[in-house]
Amino acid sequence: MKDISILRFLPRLTFHSMRFLKKLRFLKKRKYQEFEQNSWIDYPDDYYEDMQVLDEDSDSDYYDAQLVQNDDEKDDNHDEENDAYIIRPDESQKVYRSVVLRNRLTVLIISDSSAMSSTAAMTVRFGSINDPPDMMGIAHLIEHMLFRGSTENPGENNDFRSFVKMNGGRVFAVTDMEHSGFSFEIDTPYFQAGLKRFAKSFISPLMDVEDLKSEINTINQEWLGWKFRDVARLERLFAHTTHVDHPFHRFTTGNKRSLSNHEPKSVRDAALKLFVKHFVASCMKLVVIGADPVDKLERWVKKYFSELTRGQQINLAFPEYDTHRWKHSLWKHGVSYFLESLEGSQTMKISWILPPVSSTHVNKRPEMFILRLLCDESQGSLSSFFKSKLWITSLRVWSGHESKFSEVESSSYCSTLAGQLFVISMDITDRGWEHKYNMVSYVYQYLNLLKSMDPPQSLPSLIEEFRSLMRMRFQCLDFDSNQLCDPTQFSLALAVNMLKFPVSHAISLDFGYDFGDFEDIKEMLRNFSTKNMRIDFLSKAFTEKGILGKENHFSFTFKEENVPHSYLQRWEIPEETDPGLHLPFRNEMMPTTSLLEVLEEEIVGSSFKSIADKCFYKENKGVLAKASLNIYLDPGQGVIPHMITRIYFEIIKDELSSLLFKAEEGYISTELSIGDDNTIVLELYGHPQRFKYLVASIWDKFKSFEPTPDCFKIITERMKRDFYVNSRDLIHHAHWLLSEAVILVPFTMEDKYGVMKYITFDNLRRLLPALRSEARVVGVFSGSVSKEDCKQITNLFQPFGDFKIQREFETKRALRQDYSYQVFAHPKTETETNSLAKVYFQMGCDEKSDVYNAENVTVFLHLLKAMVTEKVFFNLRLKQGLGYRVGCDRYNQGFYIYVVSPDHNPKDLLIKIHAFVATIPVYLAGVDDETFKRFRSGVNFPDESGMSYDLVDDDSGINGYNVAGLILERMEKDDVVHLYDRFFVKMPSIVEICIGRTFD
């Protein structure tokens, strides 16, 4: 096969000979791939060598022309063989195409005629690893600068983010260790214009010095926002204590100090130099997903992205995974690192560095099988074992690259060419803290259980169970809103996959591994040694002596402690496994029927209908099913019964963790929450076969579980800590203050958590009979679940008791017109240096009026948000630079604007917000008809599937959404201007929230 490489020495090739070469290359790919369901393309090393030689050395215009059509060629000349090897779900109705432009930009194009919006993403083989030592954070700065506009259209309307948001979309950007990613979503009619501007961001970014100063300030504000967060401090500790010569040892985010050692113009010149070197087509991957036909999308791609400089492919500077160099010297052996928590947490993280994900083992990924066993929560698992001893409240495991399109990796260091991190993180109780090193011993017992045993009979069935779940998720990818919940994340994940693996794997990469065989698993387990391990602790306080260190960017103190030698010996020499630890049994939640069978059924319907008492069903064509159940409880009046109910709910939720984990592994996503009206909301989404079994199990547990005093103590302590952590966030704090100002509620957040110190376990035990004797349920179902199953699920909750479901729990407080109701508060923590100002305008609805009734006002608020969101961002953040967290939203028949700032006190921010509000009428009046229609078309009302609260009495709640849609169609710009003038200018009812250290 090496003889193909001699073609690079031939003179300029003819058109026909290059068609032959292209065909030969495609056949060479085909030789090493299998086309069975979920199979993988396993290229040999010489394939990559030959392809690289041909790509780098060929300068033939004819050769490149055959990989992508010229703009003036006909669409039907496209060679579809290039697209055949893109692994996609079997029943996918989307059209896939892979294209390589003549500048060597690889593009994946997906045409989805059913898409409500369109999206594109670009990844660049450039990240914080490329930061110069004296400009840490410059990669992050370049990420911020690229969307500030291009040289083609300078001016106020040049900002790419502004353009996207004005057209019903949003943007996302991220800087990782090895790559940077950029994506956007926009309404389909404006996708072409958005794609053109997106391309110009990478071809000719403006890089204005004044904008650069503004973005350095923004980065510094982001850093200040994270500086006192435990999760960021713990990650910074990881980087700081890694070997000084390793790429992990760097300050990836940057701040004003790290970026201001040079003049702004010098920083700009350095950024441009890095941009010119790295932002070249050969180091970039593009994904385009739109509702337009694939040929049209391809024409746009070629038209707008062919201007990208071809450039030279640059290999990352990361050292290869080297057992001798890094595996045993990345961290200090036998040392634990302690960091004092600012949030009252106690956490232990155990980390190992594993070989990086590569083309040779991407189809096996045995570490993912180990991960699934360690994160299991059923009987015999580490989580269940530790919880039974009351040592932990939660256990999480993650490893390397496993995005599944909807989750961002937990750390920048998780998956790199230097290796992938495998992490076990546990939230530890006070009792568990006393046994922290014993817990590590049990972790090694479980690992040694896998290492030492011959393949048990249950292992093949476990592997097949996991494979079956991944196959099911992959085949349902096009229909699963959980996996495709965020178009910008989905397109970006595909582009990231393409940076390291062939485009054929872009979609299937996170689903197609088979874990290998038992020998592959044992080989991977050899990496879980004590010499390859580090332990990090978040502790409530430093109570023991040790070596103290100082971090140089976050300025925190940490402690190094030698692990007792006796424990190191126990971890290195396999111990006998505790009988309480064993492999999981068969998961009874796994479905036995195929989801794709329902595709053959054509079910048409458009609205919910009552099919039984308090049971509503919507017929539609769907592969997956949804269920939303509201369980109404009546614990009695007062804040103490309410908080006892919430405590019991949290205890039950913790007890159900094993069952809910099994449900997730059986393709049923669950959400459990409780409201201030003592309503438990249970939402299910996924394969409907086990819906009834799952709901019955949850309800049986609720009625029969008897909590213990120890469990009560652990849960109440966790609730207090969670309240503290949430209240220290200024956004959450302001929301609670606003809620208490505009809503007449029986008790405030301070009331609720203030009484917890008076609630005892005996109080809980005495209230349980009442909780279990008074309940009502309303159920809403849609998708592939049958009507009979819906009825049976609802009938599990036989009505008992005689209380009436409370239709409304919260009552809006009527505020005085033309008066500002002010709320002042200090931050909850001494470390908070930011201030917040929030201005809320309440709408005084008049149900007798045809103009000011609640339906009209609701539509107006939706439309107003669509029209001013980008103005808020551009004016308050970009133009005035007030703060990095700015925003606006609807709330309780009102509208608010807020700013979080490290540089301004709250009263100054209030003045700036009111001055901005005064400019809105002129802006609204100047919006042209076409732009207004665009805003109106981008307004979406909530999904109907979770409307059990609105269906307490009848189905009138559904009709409300239909009415809102009709009102929206009729609402004109003059209506918006009139309503704004009434509620924001002439007759405002205002609440002003100020949080800060000082107010003058």
Side-chain angles (χ1 to χ4, degrees), residues 698-716:
I698 291 173
W699 188 235
D700 286 345
K701 182 69 70 174
F702 180 86
K703 293 187 297 183
S704 61
F705 178 70
E706 294 294 336
T708 64
D710 286 334
C711 182
F712 172 84
K713 180 181 178 182
I714 290 172
I715 294 299
T716 52

Side-chain angles (χ1 to χ4, degrees), residues 688-904:
Q689 185 179 2
R690 305 297 188 196
F691 271 22
K692 180 183 175 182
Y693 175 83
L694 175 59
V695 174
S697 300
I698 291 173
W699 188 235
D700 286 345
K701 182 69 70 174
F702 180 86
K703 293 187 297 183
S704 61
F705 178 70
E706 294 294 336
T708 64
D710 286 334
C711 182
F712 172 84
K713 180 181 178 182
I714 290 172
I715 294 299
T716 52
E717 288 298 320
R718 187 179 71 187
M719 290 175 65
K720 293 174 186 176
R721 185 175 67 249
D722 290 345
F723 169 70
Y724 168 74
V725 171
N726 287 329
S727 64
R728 72 196 299 264
D729 180 83
L730 295 183
I731 302 295
H732 282 91
H733 190 185
H735 176 73
W736 293 340
L737 294 175
L738 178 62
S739 298
E740 293 161 10
V742 303
I743 299 174
L744 293 171
V745 294
F747 25 78
T748 67
M749 292 295 294
E750 298 289 349
D751 292 337
K752 289 191 286 187
Y753 286 89
V755 301
M756 286 189 66
K757 58 187 175 183
Y758 304 113
I759 297 176
T760 66
F761 177 70
D762 286 338
N763 296 143
L764 171 63
R765 192 170 53 186
R766 284 195 293 269
L767 188 63
L768 276 182
L771 281 178
R772 292 167 172 170
S773 63
E774 300 278 349
R776 291 288 187 274
V777 67
V778 176
V780 177
F781 304 85
S782 63
S784 56
V785 61
S786 69
K787 289 183 181 180
E788 188 58 35
D789 281 352
C790 298
K791 295 176 184 178
Q792 292 180 11
I793 290 171
T794 307
N795 288 337
L796 293 170
F797 306 87
Q798 290 297 329
F800 44 88
D802 57 2
F803 80 96
K804 182 176 176 61
I805 297 175
Q806 198 170 348
R807 178 76 179 185
E808 290 187 5
F809 178 74
E810 299 176 340
T811 303
K812 184 168 70 173
R813 189 192 302 269
L815 303 177
R816 285 175 49 188
Q817 292 181 352
D818 200 21
Y819 176 81
S820 295
Y821 181 76
Q822 295 183 324
V823 180
F824 295 90
H826 293 296
K828 294 292 185 180
T829 63
E830 295 296 326
T831 58
E832 182 60 73
T833 58
N834 291 308
S835 297
L836 177 143
K838 189 175 199 175
V839 180
Y840 172 82
F841 295 83
Q842 187 185 76
M843 310 293 109
C845 300
D846 181 359
E847 297 309 317
K848 296 180 181 179
S849 168
D850 293 335
V851 179
Y852 307 122
N853 58 67
E855 289 83 4
N856 261 20
V857 168
T858 297
V859 173
F860 160 69
L861 291 173
H862 276 85
L863 192 49
L864 181 66
K865 180 184 176 183
M867 296 179 73
V868 306
T869 295
E870 180 48 35
K871 297 297 291 184
V872 170
F873 179 85
F874 182 84
N875 188 290
L876 300 182
R877 176 181 164 175
L878 298 184
K879 187 175 181 179
Q880 299 192 54
L882 298 183
Y884 80 102
R885 298 177 76 181
V886 304
C888 61
D889 207 347
R890 302 168 293 103
Y891 178 68
N892 196 263
Q893 292 295 331
F895 192 84
Y896 64 77
I897 299 173
Y898 72 89
V899 177
V900 178
S901 173
D903 303 319
H904 301 270

Side-chain angles (χ1 to χ4, degrees), residues 373 376-386 446 580-582:
L373 291 179
D376 184 70
E377 298 190 28
S378 61
Q379 184 180 358
S381 67
L382 283 170
S383 176
S384 175
F385 183 78
F386 289 149
Y446 197 90
L581 295 172
H582 55 76

